[in-house]
Structures are given as structure tokens and as C-alpha cells.
Amino acid sequence: MKRIAVLIAFLVSSITIAQSSDQAQALLDDVYNKVSSYDNIAIDFKYVLENSSENIKQETRGDVTMQGEKYVLNILGVTRLYDGKKLYTISPEDEEVTISSESSDDENTITPSEMMSFYKDGYTYDMDIVQDVRGRKIQFVKLNPIDTNSEIKEVYLGIDAQTKHIYRLIEVGNNGTKTTLTVNSFKTNEPISKSLFTFDEKKYSDYYINNID
């Protein structure tokens, strides 16, 4: 697995660690407050999944449109539509729609509606490295799950210091799998259809409807 390089290693005092944690929380709160001010957010992204021990590397592109808790996520040929109550997973290849509650998903997975706020519960955090990405200052924050049984080992959030938008999310699993989501475009307050987050069963009359609730 391609691990994040440690650029500077040094001993720090408990006071410095506390300051780092406070700075990280302040930055994450700035991001949350900024994105919460938008009516909607549309993101186009690159998604990479790697596990060197299993000789796995998968790259794909996807997009997601979010409005509050609602979202439509397109990735790997599958559409996931969450209307605030039900999650509809639409697979054209299988001609199947699976209907569930979002909470029935893997509890260790960060869902699109939680991407901007998941840090608020269950994590400790500290400031990490700063990277220059084509002239943009990207400040990383490292998040560690409080739950020792979590399948997530650590999460890194790369934040554009100027716009306060998330540029990259890196999730490292205890099983050696690393998933990286890099934002290619970040648009806000786009004109969207009122029916975007509504599942229209008539469009999938030929599909098998699997309601697991």
C-alpha cells in the first residue's frame, strides 16, 4: 500500500499537541460552516482504492450532488440516491434497485451526506502536513477513530486553505486498504431539478426491486 510519507518527525510537548488539536478543530469547523451555507454542492471526483498486499488498485471517476442530507452519487456504474429517508441503489448492469435505510450501510463507511460533518463525532484530530498543489495550499488534518474496534485506522482530510473546501479525503483501513477521493471540481448553488432526489419507480419497471427494510 502506498503510504503517506512522513515529511518531518520530531518530539512535541503535550501543549503543542493540544494546540494542534484545537487548530484542527477550528479548521474543520470553518469547512463545515462554509459548506453548510450552500444550498447545494456538486462534486466531480477521482476515486482510487489500493491494497498492495492483495495486489488491488482500482481507479474510477464519479460525481455527487448533495443538498442537506440528500444526495445522488454516481460511481462504478451504480447510482445511489438518498432522499433523506431511504437509500436507493440502482444497478443498470444487474437491472436491480435495492431499497434500504442509509443506516443499514456499513457503519464504518463515510457516506456523502456525512463527508463534511463526520468528524464531529467519534474522532480525535490533529494538524498534519501542508502540500502545494499547483499553487494551492492544501492543509491536511489527521483524524483517528476513538472506537478501537473501528475498521478505519485513520482518515486524512486535505483542505484548501483559501476556499475552505475539501480537496482530498484519504481513508486508511486496518486491513491495509486505502481509498482516496480527490475533488476535480467543486460547484455550489447550482440550478437542480426539484425531482433530483426523488426515486421514480416508473423508470425502473423492468428492474427487480429488492426492498431490504
Side-chain angles (χ1 to χ4, degrees):
M1 183 179 67
K2 184 180 178 182
R3 296 185 179 278
I4 299 174
V6 179
L7 301 182
I8 302 174
F10 57 92
L11 295 176
V12 292
S13 67
S14 59
I15 295 177
T16 303
I17 293 174
Q19 289 175 339
S20 175
S21 179
D22 290 344
Q23 291 170 350
Q25 181 174 353
L27 179 57
L28 291 171
D29 286 343
D30 283 345
V31 173
Y32 176 75
N33 292 332
K34 183 72 174 288
V35 299
S36 295
S37 69
Y38 300 130
D39 180 61
N40 60 67
I41 300 171
I43 297 174
D44 179 85
F45 60 86
K46 177 182 178 181
Y47 177 87
V48 180
L49 183 148
E50 300 172 274
N51 188 316
S52 59
S53 64
E54 300 292 336
N55 196 28
I56 295 173
K57 184 171 183 179
Q58 182 182 49
E59 296 186 21
T60 189
R61 298 177 74 97
D63 62 82
V64 60
T65 301
M66 297 177 282
Q67 186 174 54
E69 294 186 350
K70 301 176 182 180
Y71 65 82
V72 176
L73 169 66
N74 297 295
I75 189 169
L76 297 172
V78 175
T79 296
R80 293 162 61 85
L81 185 158
Y82 183 61
D83 62 7
K85 295 181 179 180
K86 298 290 185 179
L87 174 65
Y88 302 85
T89 303
I90 305 165
S91 174
E93 182 177 354
D94 299 325
E95 295 188 339
E96 181 177 355
V97 178
T98 300
I99 306 174
S100 63
S101 60
E102 190 180 42
S103 59
S104 67
D105 274 2
D106 182 353
E107 64 180 6
N108 293 293
T109 300
I110 299 170
T111 63
S113 58
E114 296 171 333
M115 184 178 174
M116 310 302 179
S117 61
F118 74 93
Y119 74 92
K120 288 178 171 288
D121 184 35
Y123 289 86
T124 61
Y125 24 79
D126 290 290
M127 299 294 274
D128 204 74
I129 63 172
V130 178
Q131 290 184 344
D132 184 280
V133 180
R134 295 186 295 275
R136 299 166 62 191
K137 179 183 176 183
I138 305 299
Q139 171 68 64
F140 279 84
V141 174
K142 181 181 179 181
L143 300 95
N144 295 294
I146 295 174
D147 182 3
T148 56
N149 295 319
S150 173
E151 293 182 10
I152 297 174
K153 180 180 179 182
E154 55 202 13
V155 178
Y156 295 85
L157 275 180
I159 298 165
D160 188 312
Q162 181 177 359
T163 64
K164 298 297 189 297
H165 291 165
I166 293 176
Y167 167 71
R168 179 166 290 160
L169 185 153
I170 303 169
E171 180 182 296
V172 182
N174 283 317
N175 63 354
T177 298
K178 182 177 78 171
T179 55
T180 303
L181 188 154
T182 302
V183 174
N184 295 321
S185 69
F186 191 108
K187 299 178 181 179
T188 62
N189 299 336
E190 293 284 284
I192 59 176
S193 169
K194 293 181 179 179
S195 62
L196 180 63
F197 305 106
T198 301
F199 177 71
D200 186 355
E201 191 169 348
K202 294 178 182 178
K203 292 182 179 179
Y204 306 98
S205 58
D206 296 333
Y207 281 40
Y208 172 68
I209 305 298
N210 181 19
N211 194 333
I212 63 176
D213 277 347

